[in-house]
């Protein structure tokens, strides 16, 4: 069995990170990648994840170039029960656009999405009990690691004002759906996949996939590699990302990442820095609950160990008779 406490700490920043469908005393964040984890922030938790990025866009065929910056702000709230959360995702960009006959500035929301996520299957609930007498048995390879946690997401995109970053016939309101899977391999590796159906009921529906592999290096640092592909009749592309995150304290995380696409129509290069911050209005109650759960687990382990030692002593006593 994986050491759950070590896994929570080592993968605190992942997005896919080690995020369980219960309250934890370490922040879990979707940053710095673009994928969404299967697990929620926890009931009563409010979490803000913000970033600032610079971007360079150059189109070899059309001959234009755009350089600018943008902001990202995601707000997550765990409500009703531990497996459920509401999420607001926003992205605003401002850039300087230059073409052979045009020199202008552009600004607008590239994304405003309001949605909700629900964890429908959590394989960690049914983990095997630890073997108290064998370290090897607890750390050996298990095919059960390939059984993912599964969540579903549904939301609506909002088009605000005259937006230069979307197609002209984009609707004011359009739906977005996702299926999310999350695997944990040992105590350090996490793999998250998002299968996305976006902007259906518009002229240019989009199908997308985001796959993120994250590794926790120690109790403070983690890094990630990410693949994102999306396709529609309006625009299709493939983007690669890499980055790292640092845990400042239990409720604050800093991060940085680089993104680059694979095509030159247009070519895109982006650098991003950000922070995730968690506030829990019911922190004291939740913290005591987790603390008591840990104490109960320790008592159970000690009780099992004592029983095992007692059984072993009884067997040895029988042999001496």
């Amino acid at each position: 069995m994986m050491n759950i406490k070590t896994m929570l700490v080592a993968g605190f920043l992942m997005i896919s990170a080690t995020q369980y469908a219960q309250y934890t005393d370490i922040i879990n964040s979707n940053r710095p990648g673009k994928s969404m984890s299967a697990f929620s922030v926890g009931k009563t938790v409010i979490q803000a994840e913000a970033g600032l990025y610079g971007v360079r866009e150059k189109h070899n065929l059309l001959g234009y170039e755009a350089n600018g910056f943008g902001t990202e702000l995601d707000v997550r709230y765990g409500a009703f029960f531990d497996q459920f959360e509401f999420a607001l995702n926003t992205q605003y960009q401002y850039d300087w656009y230059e073409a052979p006959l045009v020199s202008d500035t552009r600004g607008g929301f590239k994304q405003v999405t309001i949605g909700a996520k629900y964890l429908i299957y959590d394989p960690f609930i049914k983990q095997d009990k630890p073997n108290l007498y064998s370290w090897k048995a607890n750390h050996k390879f298990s095919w059960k690691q390939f059984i993912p946690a599964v969540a579903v997401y549904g939301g609506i995109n909002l088009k605000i004002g005259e937006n230069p970053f979307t197609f002209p016939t984009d609707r004011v309101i359009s739906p977005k759906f996702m299926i999310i899977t999350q695997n944990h391999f040992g105590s350090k590796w996490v793999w998250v996949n998002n299968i996305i159906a976006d902007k259906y009921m518009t002229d240019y529906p989009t199908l997308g996939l985001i796959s993120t592999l994250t590794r926790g290096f120690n109790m403070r640092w983690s890094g990630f590699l990410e693949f994102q592909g999306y396709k529609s009749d309006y625009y299709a592309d493939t983007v690669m990302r890499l980055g790292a995150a640092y845990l400042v304290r239990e409720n604050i995380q800093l991060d940085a990442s680089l993104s680059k696409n694979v095509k030159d129509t247009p070519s895109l290069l982006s650098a991003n820095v950000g922070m995730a911050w968690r506030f829990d209005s019911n922190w004291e109650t939740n913290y005591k609950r987790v603390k008591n759960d840990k104490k109960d687990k320790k008592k159970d382990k000690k009780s099992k160990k004592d029983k095992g030692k007692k059984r072993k002593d009884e067997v040895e006593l029988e042999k001496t008779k």
Side-chain angles (χ1 to χ4, degrees), residues 103-116:
S103 180
D104 201 358
T105 58
R106 303 183 300 180
F109 282 97
K110 297 190 75 172
Q111 178 185 11
V112 178
T113 306
I114 301 172

Side-chain angles (χ1 to χ4, degrees), residues 37-83:
S37 74
F39 296 91
S40 74
V41 291
K43 187 178 177 181
T44 76
V45 174
I46 301 173
Q47 188 161 301
E49 303 174 8
L52 177 67
Y53 66 90
V55 61
R56 180 178 181 180
E57 179 178 341
K58 187 175 182 180
H59 202 295
N60 287 348
L61 293 181
L62 299 180
Y64 76 79
E65 183 174 331
N67 296 281
F69 65 93
T71 60
E72 299 171 326
L73 175 62
D74 297 347
V75 180
R76 303 165 61 189
Y77 176 66
F80 306 128
F81 31 82
D82 289 333
Q83 295 88 347

